[in-house]
């Protein structure tokens, strides 16, 4: 776990990640919308179409009204008339018109007025800009974004010469050849749209008119559209941040509470600290809280079991130790050889009992760890039962119970073969110890739906009424009177049930009864999920 306390974080990492992911998606979307390359090309094409229409109208007008005929030179454009027409025609269009003769010389330019003292350049002033602080900040931010989203189109640059000629403009050269041409030129940081069409009379090209217009309107349109996008994006940004914080809160805050509670449980010395449960949450966090709560309760139960086990072990060991100490103290004072031999026998039996107790206790204490490390594999229980039955059937005692097995098919379960064999061996051995001489012990196994049911039934005295569940408790002993005291530790059935429960099965015991209701033996049953 991190060394940083969970309550020392101002903003949780989950909140930061959710904000980053949501904001990144929004930024990418807005950046794509701000690019607007296709929209800009559409605006340029629309403007080209408008300029071309205007240029064709101007060219037609000049071809009809500004041509003079010369017997020697033929038809040509009248310079004085064309200058006036050019100036008048572009007054309301916001464009600049330049007329070139068929030899490439510039005849008229709407930006210049011809007077007695020369030419006067006329420049239209742009409308006053909004210089208020909010708008200035917005324009600066827009310029910053424009640099981040560069134009993907590459336009040729040009420099306007003091004395202009048709050869300076490829579009005009094409128009003088009889074709209408359009082009976008770049003057410093400003784009200029240029359209050139031929001026004809009776299909004779007398010159070319070139209309040019800056992209101010296009830029203003793009600026307005992008401004609207930014305004909507700002609203979306606020909503995204608020929703992200809400989403992060519904995730990080419960996790933070669970983490703090887990820390308190880990460092606490009592059960006063509980894992919070979110009953109103039907999601993974609610499932996590329930799992942590159940895990904590299971840990407390396991600690209780360990504590009880330690107390039971101390109690069970204390009995033979007390007997052993008493016998040792007495044997030193007794002079009678027969009494000494009896005491030595008691000492020997107590030592054997202690050894058996310690062996079973050691096996029980290691069982959890061994079962957690073991790998479940498909196990066929039929040969295991057959081998155990054959082993118990071979006996030199003529009065020994008859262990037999009903014929069974191959039954597969998922488990640990050695541990399952330990359970079945314990069940058969327990039945033998309680069975009268020459009685029958029946071992069977059948498939019952999705489980396999193994049964060991004897003809002994049965289980004391009300003790069917108690016999699986640790150190519980209910042995036959003929059996020597202390020959069993009382852990066999407890270990067997623990093994079966680890295999996700169940183990229980019940009495067998005659038709009149009298007990005629005991039956131990183990059910395990069938291997699919």
């Amino acid at each position: 776990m991190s060394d940083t306390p969970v309550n020392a974080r101002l903003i949780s990492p989950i909140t930061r990640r959710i904000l980053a992911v949501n904001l990144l998606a929004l930024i990418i979307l807005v950046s794509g919308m701000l690019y607007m390359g296709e929209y800009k090309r559409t605006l340029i094409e629309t403007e080209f179409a408008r300029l071309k229409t205007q240029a064709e109208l101007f060219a037609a007008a000049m071809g009809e009204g500004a041509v003079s005929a010369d017997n020697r030179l033929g038809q040509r454009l009248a310079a004085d008339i064309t200058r006036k027409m050019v100036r008048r025609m572009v007054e309301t269009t916001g464009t600049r018109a330049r007329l070139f003769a068929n030899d490439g010389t510039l005849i008229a330019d709407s930006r210049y007025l011809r007077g007695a003292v020369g030419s006067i350049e006329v420049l239209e002033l742009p409308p006053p800009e909004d210089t208020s602080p909010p708008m200035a900040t917005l324009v600066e931010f827009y310029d910053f974004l424009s640099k981040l989203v560069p134009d993907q189109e590459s336009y040729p640059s040009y420099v306007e010469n003091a004395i202009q000629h048709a050869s300076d403009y490829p579009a005009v050269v094409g128009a003088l050849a009889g074709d209408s041409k359009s082009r976008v030129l770049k003057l410093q940081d400003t784009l200029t749209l240029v359209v050139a069409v031929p001026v004809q009379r009776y299909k004779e090209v007398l010159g070319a008119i070139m209309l040019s217009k800056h992209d101010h309107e296009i830029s203003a349109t793009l600026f307005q559209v992008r401004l609207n996008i930014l305004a909507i994006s700002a609203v979306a940004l606020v909503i995204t941040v608020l929703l992200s914080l809400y989403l992060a809160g519904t995730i990080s805050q419960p996790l933070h509470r669970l983490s703090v509670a887990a820390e308190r449980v880990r460092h606490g010395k009592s059960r006063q600290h509980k894992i919070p449960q979110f009953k109103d949450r039907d999601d993974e966090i609610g499932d996590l809280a329930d799992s942590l709560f159940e895990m904590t309760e299971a840990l407390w139960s396991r600690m209780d079991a360990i504590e009880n086990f330690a107390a039971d072990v101390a109690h069970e060991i204390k009995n033979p130790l007390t007997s052993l100490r008493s016998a040792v103290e007495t044997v030193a004072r007794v002079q009678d050889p027969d009494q000494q031999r009896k005491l030595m026998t008691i000492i020997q039996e107590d030592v054997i009992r202690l050894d058996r107790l310690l062996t079973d206790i050691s096996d029980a204490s290691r069982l959890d760890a061994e079962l957690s490390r073991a790998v479940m594999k498909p196990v066929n229980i039929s040969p295991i039962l057959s081998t155990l039955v054959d082993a118990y059937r071979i006996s030199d005692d003529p009065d020994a119970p008859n262990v037999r097995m009903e014929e069974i098919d191959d039954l597969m379960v998922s488990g640990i073969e050695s541990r399952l064999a330990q359970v079945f061996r314990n069940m058969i051995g327990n039945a033998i110890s309680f069975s009268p001489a020459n009685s029958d012990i029946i071992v069977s196994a059948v498939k019952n739906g999705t489980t396999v049911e193994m049964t060991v039934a004897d003809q002994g005295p049965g289980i004391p009424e009300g003790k069917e569940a108690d016999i699986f408790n640790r150190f519980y002993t209910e042995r036959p009177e003929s059996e020597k005291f202390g020959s069993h530790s009382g852990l066999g059935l407890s270990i067997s049930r623990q093994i079966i429960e680890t295999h996700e099965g169940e183990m229980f015991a019940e009495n067998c009864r005659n038709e009149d209701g009298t007990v005629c033996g005991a039956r131990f049953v183990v059910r395990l999920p069938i291997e699919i």
Side-chain angles (χ1 to χ4, degrees):
M1 187 174 178
S2 175
D3 294 334
T4 304
V6 293
N7 56 359
R9 296 168 176 160
L10 296 177
I11 301 179
S12 72
I14 290 180
T15 302
R16 291 198 297 267
R17 293 189 185 103
I18 291 177
L19 280 172
V21 170
N22 290 340
L23 291 180
L24 179 62
L26 180 62
I27 290 172
I28 293 175
L29 177 62
V30 172
S31 299
M33 295 175 67
L34 288 176
Y35 169 57
M36 303 180 67
E38 189 63 32
Y39 181 61
K40 182 177 181 180
R41 283 191 290 271
T42 301
L43 292 177
I44 291 176
E45 290 174 1
T46 302
E47 190 66 28
F48 270 142
R50 191 163 66 87
L51 287 175
K52 184 178 180 182
T53 300
Q54 292 178 4
E56 289 175 347
L57 292 175
F58 294 171
M62 292 182 183
E64 293 294 332
V67 177
S68 63
D70 190 307
N71 294 331
R72 184 171 58 86
L73 299 177
Q75 298 183 107
R76 61 186 181 85
L77 294 173
D80 292 337
I81 299 175
T82 56
R83 292 189 187 103
K84 295 177 180 178
M85 291 182 67
V86 166
R87 180 61 187 165
R88 293 293 300 274
M89 285 189 296
V90 299
E91 282 182 353
T92 60
T93 62
T95 60
R96 179 183 179 185
R98 278 166 281 191
L99 181 64
F100 294 88
N102 54 8
D103 61 356
T105 58
L106 179 65
I107 299 176
D109 188 344
S110 62
R111 180 176 290 183
Y112 294 92
L113 295 177
R114 296 279 184 173
V117 294
S119 298
I120 302 174
E121 184 177 1
V122 179
L123 295 177
E124 293 185 5
L125 296 177
E129 297 182 355
D130 187 355
T131 57
S132 59
M135 181 56 67
T137 303
L138 185 60
V139 171
E140 291 179 2
F141 182 64
Y142 177 80
D143 293 338
F144 172 73
L145 289 181
S146 300
K147 294 178 182 178
L148 294 180
V149 188
D151 198 340
Q152 297 295 324
E153 298 291 341
S154 178
Y155 302 109
S157 300
Y158 81 101
V159 177
E160 188 172 300
N161 297 322
I163 300 176
Q164 301 180 53
H165 192 271
S167 59
D168 296 338
Y169 306 99
V172 177
V173 175
L176 292 176
D179 296 327
S180 298
K181 298 292 182 179
S182 59
R183 182 164 295 195
V184 179
L185 301 178
K186 188 174 184 180
L187 179 61
Q188 296 179 351
D189 293 332
T190 304
L191 297 182
T192 302
L193 280 62
V194 174
V195 173
V197 298
V199 178
Q200 299 177 344
R201 182 175 177 80
Y202 304 124
K203 295 186 178 180
E204 179 183 355
V205 178
L206 304 178
I209 186 168
M210 183 179 78
L211 296 184
S212 61
K213 188 175 184 179
H214 295 308
D215 68 336
H216 296 319
E217 292 184 4
I218 296 176
S219 299
T221 302
L222 290 176
F223 174 76
Q224 189 60 46
V225 172
R226 285 171 173 165
L227 184 62
N228 294 335
I229 292 175
L230 289 176
I232 297 174
S233 301
V235 176
L237 176 64
V238 174
I239 295 175
T240 300
V241 170
L242 293 177
L243 290 178
S244 298
L245 292 176
Y246 168 75
L247 176 61
T250 60
I251 297 175
S252 63
Q253 290 182 5
L255 291 179
H256 177 73
R257 288 181 58 190
L258 291 175
S259 178
V260 171
E263 281 287 305
R264 290 174 178 172
V265 170
R266 183 169 74 93
H267 295 290
K269 304 299 182 183
S270 64
R271 303 189 186 187
Q272 60 179 345
H273 302 299
K274 296 286 186 179
I275 298 295
Q277 291 180 283
F278 306 108
K279 298 295 185 181
D280 56 337
R281 296 193 62 136
D282 187 18
D283 56 13
E284 289 78 2
I285 292 181
D287 295 339
L288 175 62
D290 292 339
S291 298
L292 287 176
F293 180 83
E294 293 173 0
M295 181 187 70
T296 305
E297 294 299 315
L299 287 175
W300 285 120
S301 298
R302 183 64 58 86
M303 293 177 64
D304 290 340
I306 293 173
E307 182 179 349
N308 294 334
F309 182 72
D312 293 342
V313 167
H315 176 74
E316 291 297 323
I317 292 179
K318 186 175 181 180
N319 290 334
L321 282 178
T322 301
S323 175
L324 184 60
R325 183 178 62 182
S326 177
V328 170
E329 292 175 351
T330 304
V331 75
R333 298 194 299 269
V334 174
Q335 302 298 325
D336 186 0
D338 292 335
Q339 293 294 330
Q340 287 181 345
R341 281 192 297 271
K342 290 180 181 180
L343 291 172
M344 292 303 296
T345 301
I346 293 174
I347 292 173
Q348 185 178 9
E349 290 177 351
D350 286 339
V351 170
I352 294 173
R353 183 183 175 193
L354 277 174
D355 179 69
R356 183 170 50 255
L357 268 174
L358 292 175
T359 300
D360 290 345
I361 290 170
S362 176
D363 187 27
S365 63
R366 294 197 309 269
L367 184 61
D368 273 347
E370 292 180 2
L371 291 176
S372 65
R373 291 193 299 265
V375 179
M376 300 287 183
K377 297 179 180 179
V379 177
N380 187 355
I381 66 171
S382 178
I384 298 176
L385 294 175
S386 299
T387 302
L388 290 173
V389 169
D390 291 340
Y392 282 107
R393 187 179 297 166
I394 302 173
S395 175
D396 296 334
D397 186 359
D399 296 329
N402 180 28
V403 182
R404 59 188 178 87
M405 184 177 71
E406 296 180 350
E407 184 176 351
I408 62 175
D409 298 326
D410 290 340
L411 297 172
M412 303 297 296
V413 299
S414 179
I416 307 167
E417 184 173 356
S418 61
R419 289 298 182 178
L420 291 177
Q422 177 184 348
V423 173
F424 302 149
R425 183 169 57 250
N426 189 298
M427 293 169 64
I428 297 174
N430 188 74
I432 291 175
S433 65
F434 282 94
S435 295
N438 298 317
S439 62
D440 291 331
I441 296 175
I442 309 300
V443 179
S444 64
V446 295
K447 180 181 178 182
N448 185 9
T450 59
T451 62
V452 175
E453 185 173 291
M454 284 74 66
T455 304
V456 177
D458 61 54
Q459 297 177 339
I463 304 169
E465 291 294 336
K467 299 294 185 181
E468 291 85 351
D470 293 341
I471 61 175
F472 292 99
N473 294 336
R474 287 192 300 268
F475 302 112
Y476 179 89
T477 54
E478 187 74 34
R479 309 305 302 177
E481 295 180 359
S482 59
E483 188 175 277
K484 184 185 298 185
F485 174 77
S487 58
H488 289 82
S489 64
L491 288 173
L493 289 178
S494 174
I495 292 175
S496 297
R497 171 175 272 188
Q498 187 177 355
I499 293 172
I500 295 302
E501 290 177 349
T502 302
H503 286 72
E504 298 182 355
E506 61 175 336
M507 182 178 184
F508 60 91
E510 58 188 8
N511 286 320
C512 300
R513 298 182 183 273
N514 295 318
E515 293 181 358
D516 59 358
T518 59
V519 176
C520 61
R523 189 166 73 102
F524 284 80
V525 181
V526 168
R527 289 181 183 146
L528 290 172
I530 194 169
E531 172 69 13
I532 300 176

